[in-house]
Amino acid sequence: MRNNELERGVTIILCTYNGAQRLPETIAHLAAQVVSHNIKWEVIFIDNASSDNSTAVALAEWEKHKVEGVDFKTVAESTPGKLFAFQKGINLAKYEYFVICDDDNWLNPDYLNIAFGILEKDPDIGAVGGQTIAVTEDNAPLPDWFETFKEGYAVGRQAAKTGDISSRGHLWGAGLTSRTSLYLEAYQELPSILLTSKDQKILSTEDTEYCLRLVLKGYQLYYDSRLRLKHFIPKARLTLAYKDGLYKNFANAHSLLERYYLSIKFGRNNKLNIADKIRLTVVTPFRFAFASSKEKRTKQRVILSYLLPSMFKADPITAKIKTFIMND
């Protein structure tokens, strides 16, 4: 973790890969933020191995708007993957709060003001998110299947009403606002487990992993309906092939992220009553022994590593998560 002290204010972290065509509108919305005079803020732009002159476009667009007193920093990250780009950016953040703004996110003018106020008011809130409206290329109609799968596109409301949604386990990365120090501490203790796959690194759902770490540390995930943004979705991302690929990535990530969910349910800070603990301790060994698939057997073994740790050793990833929980 860095030694320099964070200042009171907000850092917007904007990552892109070949986003030159999307950046003008996104940056225009950032420049249009109406921020209280006592809130300092900055934008850190990370060019993630782009080949379309994204950095030059971003600088030119920001310069057009003549935003006084707000730094617009640019940095390059050559390793592909938003996780690498984001972590490059947050290590340069000056302020105590950060907002994730993807290159297709158009924040409402009051976004920073509202997000800042929520985190200032309640130190138990680890991260906050809002609601998203889909905007399509050329105002094309959304496909019939979109309503069913809009969650995967980070579109809609994240809860029925404003409040604590920690039980949901995650907030969308689009517009997610959190505390810079919490992020730096969370990943200093334990590098992302999404990078541990033997076959390939899983370069998605990094926002979900961070949220799950916050919950494990006892922080709230909070939804506020006042926080609003638009998500621009080009035609190429509204095909069945793109949607299927998107959900395939989610499924691949889930096999790893499930260990966080199991840790929340069965780990040190679990909310199981005595009767449930006894019942699970009796039935889970049978579920493990007679599991119908490798995936189900792995899940039951993880549960047993919490219920009967002296008899069932945790796998390497679960062991790391257990250590992470203990380092409070």
Side-chain angles (χ1 to χ4, degrees):
M1 185 177 175
R2 304 173 312 179
N3 293 322
N4 55 307
E5 186 174 344
L6 295 165
E7 300 178 28
R8 185 174 180 269
V10 184
T11 296
I12 296 176
I13 299 180
L14 170 57
C15 302
T16 193
Y17 167 70
N18 286 342
Q21 291 186 334
R22 298 184 293 274
L23 287 169
E25 193 68 43
T26 299
I27 289 174
H29 279 77
L30 293 183
Q33 288 296 300
V34 180
V35 182
S36 175
H37 70 277
N38 63 344
I39 301 175
K40 296 179 179 180
W41 61 292
E42 66 177 347
V43 180
I44 298 180
F45 174 84
I46 305 94
D47 188 332
N48 191 199
S50 297
S51 58
D52 66 349
N53 213 27
S54 285
T55 297
V57 170
L59 285 168
E61 290 298 324
W62 183 256
E63 180 61 27
K64 284 182 185 179
H65 299 284
K66 306 296 181 184
V67 183
E68 295 184 4
V70 179
D71 289 337
F72 189 92
K73 305 174 184 174
T74 64
V75 63
E77 172 52 58
S78 59
T79 304
K82 184 183 171 184
L83 178 62
F84 299 107
F86 180 80
Q87 292 192 342
K88 184 75 164 280
I90 199 167
N91 275 286
L92 298 173
K94 182 192 298 184
Y95 297 116
E96 59 183 332
Y97 305 132
F98 69 87
V99 175
I100 298 175
C101 181
D102 295 335
D103 63 11
D104 51 12
N105 295 165
W106 305 347
L107 304 183
N108 271 21
D110 57 3
Y111 204 96
L112 291 193
N113 254 359
I114 294 172
F116 180 89
I118 293 167
L119 293 180
E120 280 279 286
K121 186 177 179 179
D122 191 344
D124 291 330
I125 294 176
V128 59
Q131 57 179 303
T132 308
I133 299 169
V135 178
T136 60
E137 186 176 356
D138 298 327
N139 293 315
L142 291 164
D144 294 338
W145 50 260
F146 186 83
E147 184 65 22
T148 302
F149 296 96
K150 66 181 182 181
E151 167 80 13
Y153 286 82
V155 167
R157 295 172 176 265
Q158 300 191 67
K161 61 181 180 179
T162 294
D164 183 354
I165 60 169
S166 303
S167 60
R168 186 171 183 261
H170 70 279
L171 292 161
W172 298 328
L176 183 146
T177 304
S178 185
R179 305 174 189 274
T180 305
S181 60
L182 286 185
Y183 190 97
L184 294 173
E185 290 168 5
Y187 284 89
Q188 179 189 41
E189 295 179 26
L190 176 63
S192 173
I193 67 171
L194 298 173
L195 306 180
T196 62
S197 173
K198 293 180 180 178
D199 300 321
Q200 60 180 349
K201 293 179 173 63
I202 299 173
L203 300 178
S204 62
T205 66
E206 69 287 332
D207 45 288
T208 299
E209 181 181 36
Y210 173 58
C211 287
L212 289 167
R213 292 184 180 204
L214 290 177
V215 174
L216 282 171
K217 289 292 188 179
Y219 288 95
Q220 288 182 26
L221 304 180
Y222 196 82
Y223 167 75
D224 196 303
S225 61
R226 296 174 299 162
L227 286 172
R228 300 185 180 190
L229 62 88
K230 293 178 180 177
H231 180 192
F232 174 73
I233 310 175
K235 294 176 183 177
R237 296 183 182 180
L238 289 172
T239 65
L240 287 173
Y242 182 89
K243 182 264 293 181
D244 290 344
L246 183 68
Y247 275 81
K248 182 178 179 180
N249 287 338
F250 292 158
N252 290 338
H254 180 74
S255 63
L256 290 174
L257 294 179
E258 187 176 42
R259 287 169 169 78
Y260 287 110
Y261 288 104
L262 293 175
S263 183
I264 291 169
K265 186 172 183 178
F266 300 102
R268 187 181 68 169
N269 298 319
N270 73 77
K271 297 180 180 179
L272 296 170
N273 59 43
I274 296 298
D276 283 339
K277 288 181 180 179
I278 293 173
R279 178 181 60 82
L280 286 166
T281 301
V282 172
V283 304
T284 306
F286 289 96
R287 291 174 177 170
F288 171 71
F290 297 102
S292 59
S293 68
K294 181 180 178 181
E295 291 75 17
K296 291 181 179 180
R297 186 177 177 86
T298 297
K299 177 179 177 179
Q300 297 306 316
R301 187 174 187 90
V302 171
I303 296 172
L304 286 169
S305 73
Y306 287 107
L307 297 174
L308 299 170
S310 61
M311 297 175 61
F312 291 86
K313 183 179 178 182
D315 63 87
I317 294 176
T318 302
K320 289 178 181 179
I321 293 174
K322 282 187 172 186
T323 301
F324 173 78
I325 300 170
M326 296 299 293
N327 289 337
D328 286 339

